[in-house]
Amino acid sequence: MILVTGGAGFIGANFVLDWLAQRDEPVVNLDKLTYAGNRENLASLEGDARHVLVQGDIGDLDLVGRLLAERQPRAVLNFAAESHVDRSIHGPADFIETNVVGTFRLLEAVRGYVMSLPEDRKAGFRFLHVSTDEVYGSLEPGAPAFTEAHGYEPNSPYSASKAASDHLVRAWHHTYGLPVLTTNCSNNYGPFHFPEKLIPLMIVNALAGKPLPVYGDGMQVRDWLYVKDHCSAIRRVLEAGRLGETYNVGGWNEKPNIEIVRTVCGLLDELRPRTDGKSYSEQIAYVKDRPGHDRRYAIDARKLERELGWRPAETFETGIRKTVQWYLENPEWVRRVQSGDYRSWMQRHYEGGVTA
Ligand code: NAD
Ligand code: DAU
């Protein structure tokens, strides 16, 4: 079996669902169930003996040690993190606690477990750390995309905390010989994406008749990957990645934010037209920029393709259509995640309303 952390969040839940759709190897899912963790994402696995959800913190050494000893996983995949850049600006403490201290404690628990394993099982064990392209900092227009050799230049509390976690993972390999793999992925989108992030926020706000808040001039560039392609890359790296290596994962889909927002509006105009016949793009509202906003990310994923034969299956056009359709088909999921915490975050962050 495998131990997945953070498997009730956006990418983790997609990973667990895809994993169990393709094989019978059981998953123990350790998730703290913060505001971003949602049991409902895993509702289709209810009653499925191959999946166990344990509510707990990756920083709880006793709990993680016990889980490892009892369940004897052949791999640990660490998705658990505080993941939202804007929240890290408002309150960095949780990011340091989970992403840095939590990863450190998880590494220590895993190190103790691996040392207890017989040689043959030790050789097969893997710790896969799921990280982000944001650790590399911001690219100038026209500069080559991030390769794995790019220096770390994190700019936000979130990316600094993820960079720190990557360094810890690297050091636990180099110093203690822990069999680690790291993936650094670009922006994901798809089902179960919490509507504080750009694409799901634009969909739910558009449908609710609310403004679509675009930061600054909307010309910041991100490299978008359909979440299920990220999951297939992680499976491939787990299966065949070289120990101690990092692999960049990306969709070859660089786009400025305003183009993403206009694409979402165009799809909604087609699939769920406004009753007044106008375009959802009329709801676009330029707002104050994010402090320290990184201008451009772009991932060079050629190492993953060259060494492990991975390519994304979706284009942006196919992935974004599936995503918009998923949100249209799952209004109850949207309604339920928009809980008290969600509402207070929206109020605090987009304080005073957005202005066109
Ligand atoms: P998310 O915020 O949707 O989910 C994070 C999950 O981790 C939640 O279920 C949460 O309850 C859980 N969690 C948080 N703190 C925990 C703790 N201390 N112990 C146990 N569980 C805890 O995040 P996501 O978008 O699914 O991202 C997953 C991972 O992928 C993160 O490590 C993130 O840095 C990385 N990543 C995300 C993207 C992206 O575009 N979303 C891109 C590249 C990398
Ligand atoms: O690059 C990978 C990273 O992508 C992950 O590591 C993070 O966990 C993930 O949240 C994401 O970070 P971003 O900051 O790029 O994602 P977000 O969806 O918050 O914002 C995407 C872009 O859209 C960014 O340039 C900011 C902008 N934006 C975002 C929001 C929420 C807006 O213009 N308006 C908004 O309301």
Side-chain angles (χ1 to χ4, degrees), residues 83-86 132-134 158 185-188 196-199 201-202 213-215 220 222 224 257 290 293-294 297 350:
S83 69
H84 190 32
V85 173
D86 293 319
T132 170
D133 59 357
E134 300 203 11
Y158 164 70
C185 188
S186 62
N187 285 61
N188 286 213
E196 64 184 355
K197 309 280 170 61
L198 180 71
I199 289 180
L201 180 68
M202 295 301 137
V214 172
Y215 297 161
Q220 304 83 4
R222 298 292 183 266
W224 295 93
N257 293 337
R290 171 186 280 174
H293 199 170
D294 284 337
Y297 306 138
Y350 299 97

PDB file of all heavy atoms in Angstrom, residues 83-86 132-134 158 185-188 196-199 201-202 213-215 220 222 224 257 290 293-294 297 350, ligand 2:
ATOM      1  N   SER A  83      -1.512  25.942   0.529  1.00  0.00           N
ATOM      2  CA  SER A  83      -1.183  26.082  -0.888  1.00  0.00           C
ATOM      3  C   SER A  83      -1.556  27.428  -1.529  1.00  0.00           C
ATOM      4  O   SER A  83      -1.250  27.638  -2.698  1.00  0.00           O
ATOM      5  CB  SER A  83      -1.874  24.957  -1.672  1.00  0.00           C
ATOM      6  OG  SER A  83      -3.279  25.162  -1.667  1.00  0.00           O
ATOM      7  N   HIS A  84      -2.217  28.312  -0.787  1.00  0.00           N
ATOM      8  CA  HIS A  84      -2.730  29.524  -1.456  1.00  0.00           C
ATOM      9  C   HIS A  84      -1.841  30.743  -1.177  1.00  0.00           C
ATOM     10  O   HIS A  84      -1.706  31.186  -0.031  1.00  0.00           O
ATOM     11  CB  HIS A  84      -4.160  29.786  -0.990  1.00  0.00           C
ATOM     12  CG  HIS A  84      -4.870  30.856  -1.768  1.00  0.00           C
ATOM     13  ND1 HIS A  84      -4.638  31.099  -3.105  1.00  0.00           N
ATOM     14  CD2 HIS A  84      -5.812  31.759  -1.402  1.00  0.00           C
ATOM     15  CE1 HIS A  84      -5.399  32.095  -3.520  1.00  0.00           C
ATOM     16  NE2 HIS A  84      -6.119  32.512  -2.506  1.00  0.00           N
ATOM     17  N   VAL A  85      -1.263  31.286  -2.243  1.00  0.00           N
ATOM     18  CA  VAL A  85      -0.312  32.398  -2.122  1.00  0.00           C
ATOM     19  C   VAL A  85      -0.933  33.593  -1.382  1.00  0.00           C
ATOM     20  O   VAL A  85      -0.304  34.178  -0.487  1.00  0.00           O
ATOM     21  CB  VAL A  85       0.175  32.834  -3.528  1.00  0.00           C
ATOM     22  CG1 VAL A  85       1.032  34.090  -3.446  1.00  0.00           C
ATOM     23  CG2 VAL A  85       0.942  31.705  -4.199  1.00  0.00           C
ATOM     24  N   ASP A  86      -2.175  33.964  -1.731  1.00  0.00           N
ATOM     25  CA  ASP A  86      -2.783  35.132  -1.091  1.00  0.00           C
ATOM     26  C   ASP A  86      -2.928  34.920   0.420  1.00  0.00           C
ATOM     27  O   ASP A  86      -2.693  35.827   1.211  1.00  0.00           O
ATOM     28  CB  ASP A  86      -4.155  35.438  -1.712  1.00  0.00           C
ATOM     29  CG  ASP A  86      -4.019  35.901  -3.162  1.00  0.00           C
ATOM     30  OD1 ASP A  86      -3.100  36.684  -3.448  1.00  0.00           O
ATOM     31  OD2 ASP A  86      -4.811  35.461  -4.011  1.00  0.00           O
ATOM     32  N   THR A 132       6.363  22.723  -6.279  1.00  0.00           N
ATOM     33  CA  THR A 132       5.795  23.717  -7.198  1.00  0.00           C
ATOM     34  C   THR A 132       6.873  24.443  -8.014  1.00  0.00           C
ATOM     35  O   THR A 132       8.024  24.534  -7.576  1.00  0.00           O
ATOM     36  CB  THR A 132       5.010  24.769  -6.368  1.00  0.00           C
ATOM     37  OG1 THR A 132       4.640  25.861  -7.198  1.00  0.00           O
ATOM     38  CG2 THR A 132       5.831  25.319  -5.218  1.00  0.00           C
ATOM     39  N   ASP A 133       6.469  24.983  -9.152  1.00  0.00           N
ATOM     40  CA  ASP A 133       7.406  25.795  -9.957  1.00  0.00           C
ATOM     41  C   ASP A 133       7.699  27.142  -9.295  1.00  0.00           C
ATOM     42  O   ASP A 133       8.654  27.823  -9.654  1.00  0.00           O
ATOM     43  CB  ASP A 133       6.856  26.013 -11.377  1.00  0.00           C
ATOM     44  CG  ASP A 133       5.510  26.718 -11.443  1.00  0.00           C
ATOM     45  OD1 ASP A 133       4.920  27.017 -10.380  1.00  0.00           O
ATOM     46  OD2 ASP A 133       5.021  26.962 -12.564  1.00  0.00           O
ATOM     47  N   GLU A 134       6.849  27.525  -8.309  1.00  0.00           N
ATOM     48  CA  GLU A 134       7.015  28.861  -7.703  1.00  0.00           C
ATOM     49  C   GLU A 134       8.329  28.987  -6.944  1.00  0.00           C
ATOM     50  O   GLU A 134       8.766  30.106  -6.651  1.00  0.00           O
ATOM     51  CB  GLU A 134       5.841  29.183  -6.783  1.00  0.00           C
ATOM     52  CG  GLU A 134       4.528  29.190  -7.525  1.00  0.00           C
ATOM     53  CD  GLU A 134       3.438  30.009  -6.864  1.00  0.00           C
ATOM     54  OE1 GLU A 134       3.720  30.756  -5.919  1.00  0.00           O
ATOM     55  OE2 GLU A 134       2.292  29.910  -7.324  1.00  0.00           O
ATOM     56  N   TYR A 158       4.495  31.629   0.703  1.00  0.00           N
ATOM     57  CA  TYR A 158       4.165  30.266   0.250  1.00  0.00           C
ATOM     58  C   TYR A 158       5.348  29.630  -0.467  1.00  0.00           C
ATOM     59  O   TYR A 158       5.781  28.531  -0.115  1.00  0.00           O
ATOM     60  CB  TYR A 158       2.932  30.296  -0.674  1.00  0.00           C
ATOM     61  CG  TYR A 158       2.773  29.015  -1.489  1.00  0.00           C
ATOM     62  CD1 TYR A 158       2.411  27.820  -0.871  1.00  0.00           C
ATOM     63  CD2 TYR A 158       3.005  29.006  -2.866  1.00  0.00           C
ATOM     64  CE1 TYR A 158       2.297  26.643  -1.606  1.00  0.00           C
ATOM     65  CE2 TYR A 158       2.884  27.834  -3.607  1.00  0.00           C
ATOM     66  CZ  TYR A 158       2.528  26.654  -2.969  1.00  0.00           C
ATOM     67  OH  TYR A 158       2.415  25.493  -3.700  1.00  0.00           O
ATOM     68  N   CYS A 185       5.772  21.263 -10.070  1.00  0.00           N
ATOM     69  CA  CYS A 185       4.740  21.383 -11.116  1.00  0.00           C
ATOM     70  C   CYS A 185       4.228  22.813 -11.242  1.00  0.00           C
ATOM     71  O   CYS A 185       4.274  23.603 -10.306  1.00  0.00           O
ATOM     72  CB  CYS A 185       3.582  20.443 -10.776  1.00  0.00           C
ATOM     73  SG  CYS A 185       2.364  20.317 -12.096  1.00  0.00           S
ATOM     74  N   SER A 186       3.712  23.096 -12.435  1.00  0.00           N
ATOM     75  CA  SER A 186       3.106  24.404 -12.704  1.00  0.00           C
ATOM     76  C   SER A 186       1.647  24.421 -12.234  1.00  0.00           C
ATOM     77  O   SER A 186       1.180  23.469 -11.608  1.00  0.00           O
ATOM     78  CB  SER A 186       3.183  24.675 -14.205  1.00  0.00           C
ATOM     79  OG  SER A 186       2.446  23.684 -14.883  1.00  0.00           O
ATOM     80  N   ASN A 187       0.929  25.498 -12.564  1.00  0.00           N
ATOM     81  CA  ASN A 187      -0.458  25.677 -12.095  1.00  0.00           C
ATOM     82  C   ASN A 187      -1.385  24.577 -12.599  1.00  0.00           C
ATOM     83  O   ASN A 187      -1.499  24.370 -13.806  1.00  0.00           O
ATOM     84  CB  ASN A 187      -1.012  27.007 -12.596  1.00  0.00           C
ATOM     85  CG  ASN A 187      -0.460  28.176 -11.832  1.00  0.00           C
ATOM     86  OD1 ASN A 187       0.744  28.417 -11.826  1.00  0.00           O
ATOM     87  ND2 ASN A 187      -1.334  28.913 -11.167  1.00  0.00           N
ATOM     88  N   ASN A 188      -2.073  23.938 -11.662  1.00  0.00           N
ATOM     89  CA  ASN A 188      -3.067  22.916 -12.012  1.00  0.00           C
ATOM     90  C   ASN A 188      -4.463  23.531 -12.092  1.00  0.00           C
ATOM     91  O   ASN A 188      -4.734  24.550 -11.452  1.00  0.00           O
ATOM     92  CB  ASN A 188      -3.126  21.857 -10.910  1.00  0.00           C
ATOM     93  CG  ASN A 188      -1.942  20.908 -10.904  1.00  0.00           C
ATOM     94  OD1 ASN A 188      -2.080  19.749 -10.566  1.00  0.00           O
ATOM     95  ND2 ASN A 188      -0.756  21.383 -11.264  1.00  0.00           N
ATOM     96  N   GLU A 196     -11.004  29.488  -4.293  1.00  0.00           N
ATOM     97  CA  GLU A 196     -10.225  30.667  -3.913  1.00  0.00           C
ATOM     98  C   GLU A 196      -9.152  30.906  -4.976  1.00  0.00           C
ATOM     99  O   GLU A 196      -8.558  31.977  -5.019  1.00  0.00           O
ATOM    100  CB  GLU A 196      -9.544  30.454  -2.554  1.00  0.00           C
ATOM    101  CG  GLU A 196      -8.528  29.324  -2.576  1.00  0.00           C
ATOM    102  CD  GLU A 196      -7.895  28.991  -1.234  1.00  0.00           C
ATOM    103  OE1 GLU A 196      -8.162  29.688  -0.250  1.00  0.00           O
ATOM    104  OE2 GLU A 196      -7.134  28.009  -1.185  1.00  0.00           O
ATOM    105  N   LYS A 197      -8.901  29.884  -5.820  1.00  0.00           N
ATOM    106  CA  LYS A 197      -7.863  29.967  -6.842  1.00  0.00           C
ATOM    107  C   LYS A 197      -8.487  30.488  -8.140  1.00  0.00           C
ATOM    108  O   LYS A 197      -9.706  30.404  -8.331  1.00  0.00           O
ATOM    109  CB  LYS A 197      -7.228  28.587  -7.072  1.00  0.00           C
ATOM    110  CG  LYS A 197      -6.755  27.879  -5.790  1.00  0.00           C
ATOM    111  CD  LYS A 197      -5.428  28.374  -5.295  1.00  0.00           C
ATOM    112  CE  LYS A 197      -5.044  27.869  -3.914  1.00  0.00           C
ATOM    113  NZ  LYS A 197      -4.902  26.438  -3.762  1.00  0.00           N
ATOM    114  N   LEU A 198      -7.655  31.027  -9.045  1.00  0.00           N
ATOM    115  CA  LEU A 198      -8.156  31.821 -10.168  1.00  0.00           C
ATOM    116  C   LEU A 198      -9.291  31.149 -10.962  1.00  0.00           C
ATOM    117  O   LEU A 198     -10.383  31.716 -11.085  1.00  0.00           O
ATOM    118  CB  LEU A 198      -7.009  32.188 -11.124  1.00  0.00           C
ATOM    119  CG  LEU A 198      -7.464  33.021 -12.331  1.00  0.00           C
ATOM    120  CD1 LEU A 198      -7.831  34.432 -11.911  1.00  0.00           C
ATOM    121  CD2 LEU A 198      -6.394  33.051 -13.416  1.00  0.00           C
ATOM    122  N   ILE A 199      -9.025  29.962 -11.521  1.00  0.00           N
ATOM    123  CA  ILE A 199     -10.007  29.404 -12.469  1.00  0.00           C
ATOM    124  C   ILE A 199     -11.338  29.060 -11.792  1.00  0.00           C
ATOM    125  O   ILE A 199     -12.401  29.531 -12.238  1.00  0.00           O
ATOM    126  CB  ILE A 199      -9.396  28.229 -13.260  1.00  0.00           C
ATOM    127  CG1 ILE A 199      -8.363  28.794 -14.248  1.00  0.00           C
ATOM    128  CG2 ILE A 199     -10.476  27.398 -13.968  1.00  0.00           C
ATOM    129  CD1 ILE A 199      -7.647  27.775 -15.113  1.00  0.00           C
ATOM    130  N   LEU A 201     -12.539  30.250  -9.050  1.00  0.00           N
ATOM    131  CA  LEU A 201     -13.152  31.491  -8.546  1.00  0.00           C
ATOM    132  C   LEU A 201     -13.890  32.218  -9.669  1.00  0.00           C
ATOM    133  O   LEU A 201     -14.996  32.723  -9.486  1.00  0.00           O
ATOM    134  CB  LEU A 201     -12.084  32.406  -7.929  1.00  0.00           C
ATOM    135  CG  LEU A 201     -12.611  33.728  -7.382  1.00  0.00           C
ATOM    136  CD1 LEU A 201     -13.499  33.502  -6.157  1.00  0.00           C
ATOM    137  CD2 LEU A 201     -11.466  34.670  -7.015  1.00  0.00           C
ATOM    138  N   MET A 202     -13.265  32.240 -10.858  1.00  0.00           N
ATOM    139  CA  MET A 202     -13.905  32.926 -11.987  1.00  0.00           C
ATOM    140  C   MET A 202     -15.201  32.207 -12.377  1.00  0.00           C
ATOM    141  O   MET A 202     -16.208  32.850 -12.671  1.00  0.00           O
ATOM    142  CB  MET A 202     -12.947  32.988 -13.186  1.00  0.00           C
ATOM    143  CG  MET A 202     -11.719  33.834 -12.936  1.00  0.00           C
ATOM    144  SD  MET A 202     -12.123  35.545 -12.524  1.00  0.00           S
ATOM    145  CE  MET A 202     -10.995  35.865 -11.184  1.00  0.00           C
ATOM    146  N   PRO A 213     -12.516  39.257 -10.246  1.00  0.00           N
ATOM    147  CA  PRO A 213     -11.394  40.122  -9.858  1.00  0.00           C
ATOM    148  C   PRO A 213     -10.083  39.718 -10.509  1.00  0.00           C
ATOM    149  O   PRO A 213      -9.521  38.662 -10.213  1.00  0.00           O
ATOM    150  CB  PRO A 213     -11.326  39.933  -8.333  1.00  0.00           C
ATOM    151  CG  PRO A 213     -11.914  38.586  -8.086  1.00  0.00           C
ATOM    152  CD  PRO A 213     -12.907  38.325  -9.174  1.00  0.00           C
ATOM    153  N   VAL A 214      -9.577  40.561 -11.400  1.00  0.00           N
ATOM    154  CA  VAL A 214      -8.298  40.303 -12.076  1.00  0.00           C
ATOM    155  C   VAL A 214      -7.256  41.226 -11.453  1.00  0.00           C
ATOM    156  O   VAL A 214      -7.428  42.446 -11.448  1.00  0.00           O
ATOM    157  CB  VAL A 214      -8.446  40.569 -13.593  1.00  0.00           C
ATOM    158  CG1 VAL A 214      -7.092  40.498 -14.288  1.00  0.00           C
ATOM    159  CG2 VAL A 214      -9.422  39.573 -14.213  1.00  0.00           C
ATOM    160  N   TYR A 215      -6.183  40.630 -10.929  1.00  0.00           N
ATOM    161  CA  TYR A 215      -5.162  41.433 -10.243  1.00  0.00           C
ATOM    162  C   TYR A 215      -4.332  42.244 -11.238  1.00  0.00           C
ATOM    163  O   TYR A 215      -3.892  41.705 -12.274  1.00  0.00           O
ATOM    164  CB  TYR A 215      -4.191  40.536  -9.472  1.00  0.00           C
ATOM    165  CG  TYR A 215      -4.774  39.710  -8.340  1.00  0.00           C
ATOM    166  CD1 TYR A 215      -4.074  38.602  -7.858  1.00  0.00           C
ATOM    167  CD2 TYR A 215      -5.989  40.013  -7.742  1.00  0.00           C
ATOM    168  CE1 TYR A 215      -4.565  37.825  -6.810  1.00  0.00           C
ATOM    169  CE2 TYR A 215      -6.497  39.251  -6.698  1.00  0.00           C
ATOM    170  CZ  TYR A 215      -5.780  38.168  -6.243  1.00  0.00           C
ATOM    171  OH  TYR A 215      -6.269  37.399  -5.219  1.00  0.00           O
ATOM    172  N   GLN A 220      -0.056  38.770 -16.034  1.00  0.00           N
ATOM    173  CA  GLN A 220       0.848  37.792 -15.417  1.00  0.00           C
ATOM    174  C   GLN A 220       0.628  36.445 -16.107  1.00  0.00           C
ATOM    175  O   GLN A 220      -0.508  36.072 -16.426  1.00  0.00           O
ATOM    176  CB  GLN A 220       0.561  37.651 -13.913  1.00  0.00           C
ATOM    177  CG  GLN A 220       0.642  38.950 -13.132  1.00  0.00           C
ATOM    178  CD  GLN A 220      -0.641  39.752 -13.206  1.00  0.00           C
ATOM    179  OE1 GLN A 220      -1.632  39.339 -13.778  1.00  0.00           O
ATOM    180  NE2 GLN A 220      -0.608  40.941 -12.617  1.00  0.00           N
ATOM    181  N   ARG A 222       0.956  32.300 -16.356  1.00  0.00           N
ATOM    182  CA  ARG A 222       1.085  31.016 -15.680  1.00  0.00           C
ATOM    183  C   ARG A 222       1.064  29.920 -16.744  1.00  0.00           C
ATOM    184  O   ARG A 222       0.612  30.124 -17.864  1.00  0.00           O
ATOM    185  CB  ARG A 222      -0.062  30.800 -14.680  1.00  0.00           C
ATOM    186  CG  ARG A 222      -0.114  31.837 -13.533  1.00  0.00           C
ATOM    187  CD  ARG A 222       1.072  31.670 -12.615  1.00  0.00           C
ATOM    188  NE  ARG A 222       1.076  32.560 -11.457  1.00  0.00           N
ATOM    189  CZ  ARG A 222       1.692  33.738 -11.399  1.00  0.00           C
ATOM    190  NH1 ARG A 222       2.323  34.211 -12.472  1.00  0.00           N
ATOM    191  NH2 ARG A 222       1.695  34.449 -10.292  1.00  0.00           N
ATOM    192  N   TRP A 224      -0.400  26.349 -17.469  1.00  0.00           N
ATOM    193  CA  TRP A 224      -1.508  25.578 -16.899  1.00  0.00           C
ATOM    194  C   TRP A 224      -1.460  24.110 -17.296  1.00  0.00           C
ATOM    195  O   TRP A 224      -1.241  23.773 -18.464  1.00  0.00           O
ATOM    196  CB  TRP A 224      -2.841  26.202 -17.317  1.00  0.00           C
ATOM    197  CG  TRP A 224      -3.003  27.577 -16.731  1.00  0.00           C
ATOM    198  CD1 TRP A 224      -2.666  28.763 -17.314  1.00  0.00           C
ATOM    199  CD2 TRP A 224      -3.492  27.900 -15.427  1.00  0.00           C
ATOM    200  NE1 TRP A 224      -2.929  29.808 -16.452  1.00  0.00           N
ATOM    201  CE2 TRP A 224      -3.439  29.317 -15.292  1.00  0.00           C
ATOM    202  CE3 TRP A 224      -3.990  27.145 -14.356  1.00  0.00           C
ATOM    203  CZ2 TRP A 224      -3.849  29.971 -14.136  1.00  0.00           C
ATOM    204  CZ3 TRP A 224      -4.400  27.807 -13.202  1.00  0.00           C
ATOM    205  CH2 TRP A 224      -4.327  29.200 -13.106  1.00  0.00           C
ATOM    206  N   ASN A 257      -3.189  35.776 -17.426  1.00  0.00           N
ATOM    207  CA  ASN A 257      -4.419  35.554 -16.655  1.00  0.00           C
ATOM    208  C   ASN A 257      -5.669  36.060 -17.368  1.00  0.00           C
ATOM    209  O   ASN A 257      -6.711  35.413 -17.350  1.00  0.00           O
ATOM    210  CB  ASN A 257      -4.309  36.253 -15.295  1.00  0.00           C
ATOM    211  CG  ASN A 257      -3.253  35.611 -14.419  1.00  0.00           C
ATOM    212  OD1 ASN A 257      -2.911  34.444 -14.602  1.00  0.00           O
ATOM    213  ND2 ASN A 257      -2.729  36.365 -13.467  1.00  0.00           N
ATOM    214  N   ARG A 290      -1.624  41.714  -6.406  1.00  0.00           N
ATOM    215  CA  ARG A 290      -1.090  40.922  -5.288  1.00  0.00           C
ATOM    216  C   ARG A 290       0.295  41.482  -4.933  1.00  0.00           C
ATOM    217  O   ARG A 290       1.122  41.678  -5.851  1.00  0.00           O
ATOM    218  CB  ARG A 290      -0.985  39.470  -5.761  1.00  0.00           C
ATOM    219  CG  ARG A 290      -0.273  38.537  -4.832  1.00  0.00           C
ATOM    220  CD  ARG A 290      -0.094  37.149  -5.483  1.00  0.00           C
ATOM    221  NE  ARG A 290      -1.288  36.349  -5.410  1.00  0.00           N
ATOM    222  CZ  ARG A 290      -1.432  35.153  -6.001  1.00  0.00           C
ATOM    223  NH1 ARG A 290      -0.442  34.641  -6.719  1.00  0.00           N
ATOM    224  NH2 ARG A 290      -2.534  34.461  -5.879  1.00  0.00           N
ATOM    225  N   HIS A 293       3.762  40.139  -6.599  1.00  0.00           N
ATOM    226  CA  HIS A 293       3.198  39.211  -7.588  1.00  0.00           C
ATOM    227  C   HIS A 293       4.243  38.757  -8.622  1.00  0.00           C
ATOM    228  O   HIS A 293       4.783  39.583  -9.367  1.00  0.00           O
ATOM    229  CB  HIS A 293       2.049  39.930  -8.294  1.00  0.00           C
ATOM    230  CG  HIS A 293       1.092  39.030  -8.990  1.00  0.00           C
ATOM    231  ND1 HIS A 293      -0.098  39.478  -9.497  1.00  0.00           N
ATOM    232  CD2 HIS A 293       1.127  37.702  -9.262  1.00  0.00           C
ATOM    233  CE1 HIS A 293      -0.750  38.483 -10.056  1.00  0.00           C
ATOM    234  NE2 HIS A 293      -0.017  37.390  -9.929  1.00  0.00           N
ATOM    235  N   ASP A 294       4.487  37.465  -8.710  1.00  0.00           N
ATOM    236  CA  ASP A 294       5.403  36.937  -9.736  1.00  0.00           C
ATOM    237  C   ASP A 294       4.800  37.152 -11.117  1.00  0.00           C
ATOM    238  O   ASP A 294       3.629  36.842 -11.360  1.00  0.00           O
ATOM    239  CB  ASP A 294       5.645  35.436  -9.515  1.00  0.00           C
ATOM    240  CG  ASP A 294       6.605  35.183  -8.360  1.00  0.00           C
ATOM    241  OD1 ASP A 294       7.400  36.081  -8.029  1.00  0.00           O
ATOM    242  OD2 ASP A 294       6.556  34.073  -7.790  1.00  0.00           O
ATOM    243  N   TYR A 297       5.601  32.429 -14.843  1.00  0.00           N
ATOM    244  CA  TYR A 297       6.174  31.098 -14.635  1.00  0.00           C
ATOM    245  C   TYR A 297       6.053  30.326 -15.946  1.00  0.00           C
ATOM    246  O   TYR A 297       5.055  30.456 -16.661  1.00  0.00           O
ATOM    247  CB  TYR A 297       5.409  30.269 -13.595  1.00  0.00           C
ATOM    248  CG  TYR A 297       5.192  30.890 -12.238  1.00  0.00           C
ATOM    249  CD1 TYR A 297       3.966  30.760 -11.594  1.00  0.00           C
ATOM    250  CD2 TYR A 297       6.208  31.565 -11.577  1.00  0.00           C
ATOM    251  CE1 TYR A 297       3.744  31.291 -10.333  1.00  0.00           C
ATOM    252  CE2 TYR A 297       5.996  32.101 -10.317  1.00  0.00           C
ATOM    253  CZ  TYR A 297       4.762  31.971  -9.701  1.00  0.00           C
ATOM    254  OH  TYR A 297       4.547  32.490  -8.461  1.00  0.00           O
ATOM    255  N   TYR A 350     -10.959  40.350  -0.484  1.00  0.00           N
ATOM    256  CA  TYR A 350     -11.469  41.270  -1.520  1.00  0.00           C
ATOM    257  C   TYR A 350     -12.241  42.400  -0.836  1.00  0.00           C
ATOM    258  O   TYR A 350     -13.296  42.815  -1.294  1.00  0.00           O
ATOM    259  CB  TYR A 350     -12.353  40.510  -2.514  1.00  0.00           C
ATOM    260  CG  TYR A 350     -11.610  39.402  -3.243  1.00  0.00           C
ATOM    261  CD1 TYR A 350     -11.696  38.085  -2.797  1.00  0.00           C
ATOM    262  CD2 TYR A 350     -10.814  39.663  -4.345  1.00  0.00           C
ATOM    263  CE1 TYR A 350     -11.003  37.065  -3.439  1.00  0.00           C
ATOM    264  CE2 TYR A 350     -10.110  38.649  -4.996  1.00  0.00           C
ATOM    265  CZ  TYR A 350     -10.216  37.356  -4.536  1.00  0.00           C
ATOM    266  OH  TYR A 350      -9.541  36.352  -5.171  1.00  0.00           O
TER     267      TYR A 350
HETATM  268  O1  DAU B   2       2.522  27.595  -9.988  1.00  0.00           O
HETATM  269  C1  DAU B   2       2.042  26.609  -9.109  1.00  0.00           C
HETATM  270  C2  DAU B   2       1.203  27.257  -8.043  1.00  0.00           C
HETATM  271  O2  DAU B   2      -0.013  27.653  -8.667  1.00  0.00           O
HETATM  272  C3  DAU B   2       0.920  26.347  -6.849  1.00  0.00           C
HETATM  273  O3  DAU B   2       2.130  26.042  -6.202  1.00  0.00           O
HETATM  274  C4  DAU B   2      -0.039  27.020  -5.867  1.00  0.00           C
HETATM  275  O4  DAU B   2      -0.364  26.127  -4.812  1.00  0.00           O
HETATM  276  C5  DAU B   2      -1.290  27.376  -6.629  1.00  0.00           C
HETATM  277  O5  DAU B   2      -2.215  28.046  -5.777  1.00  0.00           O
HETATM  278  C6  DAU B   2      -0.960  28.259  -7.828  1.00  0.00           C
HETATM  279  O6  DAU B   2      -0.466  29.561  -7.394  1.00  0.00           O
HETATM  280  P1  DAU B   2      -0.909  30.919  -8.126  1.00  0.00           P
HETATM  281  O7  DAU B   2      -0.700  32.037  -7.206  1.00  0.00           O
HETATM  282  O8  DAU B   2      -0.304  30.996  -9.493  1.00  0.00           O
HETATM  283  O9  DAU B   2      -2.474  30.567  -8.316  1.00  0.00           O
HETATM  284  P2  DAU B   2      -3.799  31.456  -8.140  1.00  0.00           P
HETATM  285  O10 DAU B   2      -4.922  30.637  -8.691  1.00  0.00           O
HETATM  286  O11 DAU B   2      -3.941  31.997  -6.758  1.00  0.00           O
HETATM  287  O12 DAU B   2      -3.523  32.672  -9.114  1.00  0.00           O
HETATM  288  C7  DAU B   2      -3.261  32.451 -10.488  1.00  0.00           C
HETATM  289  C8  DAU B   2      -2.995  33.808 -11.121  1.00  0.00           C
HETATM  290  O13 DAU B   2      -4.217  34.550 -11.115  1.00  0.00           O
HETATM  291  C9  DAU B   2      -1.992  34.638 -10.346  1.00  0.00           C
HETATM  292  O14 DAU B   2      -1.211  35.389 -11.265  1.00  0.00           O
HETATM  293  C10 DAU B   2      -2.854  35.573  -9.507  1.00  0.00           C
HETATM  294  C11 DAU B   2      -4.089  35.775 -10.384  1.00  0.00           C
HETATM  295  N1  DAU B   2      -5.358  35.986  -9.657  1.00  0.00           N
HETATM  296  C12 DAU B   2      -5.692  35.127  -8.679  1.00  0.00           C
HETATM  297  C13 DAU B   2      -6.862  35.302  -7.961  1.00  0.00           C
HETATM  298  C14 DAU B   2      -7.255  34.364  -6.844  1.00  0.00           C
HETATM  299  C15 DAU B   2      -6.181  37.041 -10.019  1.00  0.00           C
HETATM  300  O15 DAU B   2      -5.883  37.814 -10.945  1.00  0.00           O
HETATM  301  N2  DAU B   2      -7.351  37.214  -9.321  1.00  0.00           N
HETATM  302  C16 DAU B   2      -7.713  36.409  -8.285  1.00  0.00           C
HETATM  303  O16 DAU B   2      -8.790  36.654  -7.655  1.00  0.00           O
END
